[in-house]
Amino acid sequence: APVSVTSQTDAYTFAIWYDKWTSNDNGSLIHIVFGERGTDAFFYKYLNTTGDTLSSEVDATGDIGRLREQAQNPSIVKSTIGNLFFSGADDSSGNEDIWKSVNNGTTWSSSTATSFNNDFNDEFALLPLPGGDIIAIQADDSAADLIARRYNETNDTWMIGTIINTSFEVSTLANSEASWGATIDRNGYI
């Protein structure tokens, strides 16, 4: 049945992750993150597909600056041990982050500190890896690179980035307000 995700009138730029997209996860939740211009914050909630019930909205970031359509599209993922991660940014260079929740989206904290070079045109695709790790594929607009960084759950750190493509034009996507993505197949290949 159709479900209204939010009553906020300034909500935009949504991202979702379904539990079953994470390897060996049999959950029934669709995790949702979206930006909201009235509060300049990113919000999280989930839809339980068993009964089509929505959770309460959680202000995951607080006011992070000015959000608008041209700022980064978010990405969200659930790790193989159940932690949630999402990326987002305001429209100022250097104000991009990846947040993590270890309690099913009830509270969120920054997981990136200063490990990413970024501006608001950069975007991320987040994907789960074995052992609770995740990979963040960053489309670095200023360098036209795709950079992969692995989050090590055991050490709670981001590893050094590896350039995986040197001719990826994010600005073309940003100017058309389009998006891009990535996926991992059943064999673990991106």
Side-chain angles (χ1 to χ4, degrees):
V3 175
S4 177
V5 173
T6 183
S7 61
Q8 296 193 44
T9 58
D10 288 338
Y12 76 104
T13 194
F14 290 74
I16 64 167
W17 186 267
Y18 182 41
D19 280 345
K20 291 179 181 162
W21 293 343
T22 298
S23 181
N24 299 316
D25 193 323
N26 293 317
S28 61
L29 304 182
I30 297 174
H31 304 275
I32 305 163
V33 65
F34 62 91
E36 199 276 322
R37 289 181 300 243
T39 59
D40 293 321
F42 283 96
F43 287 81
Y44 167 80
K45 66 188 328 180
Y46 63 80
L47 171 68
N48 188 334
T49 59
T50 306
D52 290 338
T53 56
L54 280 169
S55 69
S56 300
E57 285 181 3
V58 173
D59 181 341
T61 63
D63 186 341
I64 64 166
R66 187 176 74 142
L67 293 181
R68 61 186 174 120
E69 290 88 350
Q70 293 82 359
Q72 184 213 63
N73 294 310
S75 179
I76 188 167
V77 69
K78 182 179 179 185
S79 75
T80 57
I81 62 169
N83 292 333
L84 298 168
F85 295 81
F86 80 88
S87 64
D90 72 4
D91 68 351
S92 301
S93 290
N95 289 341
E96 183 170 62
D97 211 337
I98 297 175
W99 290 269
K100 176 182 177 181
S101 176
V102 297
N103 54 13
N104 301 313
T106 302
T107 59
W108 295 85
S109 60
S110 170
S111 73
T112 56
T114 60
S115 59
F116 291 90
N117 295 325
N118 59 66
D119 66 46
F120 72 91
N121 282 330
D122 293 356
E123 292 193 6
F124 289 93
L126 305 177
L127 300 167
L129 296 173
D133 293 358
I134 68 164
I135 189 166
I137 301 173
Q138 177 187 14
D140 183 344
D141 180 55
S142 60
D145 290 338
L146 278 181
I147 303 168
R149 287 182 172 83
R150 184 180 188 128
Y151 175 78
N152 183 309
E153 180 65 46
T154 302
N155 298 327
D156 195 27
T157 58
W158 288 94
M159 319 244 318
I160 302 277
T162 301
I163 296 174
I164 56 176
N165 184 306
T166 58
S167 59
F168 192 79
E169 293 294 332
V170 182
S171 291
T172 304
L173 294 174
N175 291 336
S176 67
E177 295 182 15
S179 193
W180 64 281
T183 189
I184 293 182
D185 69 15
R186 294 182 196 277
N187 298 313
Y189 295 103
I190 297 173

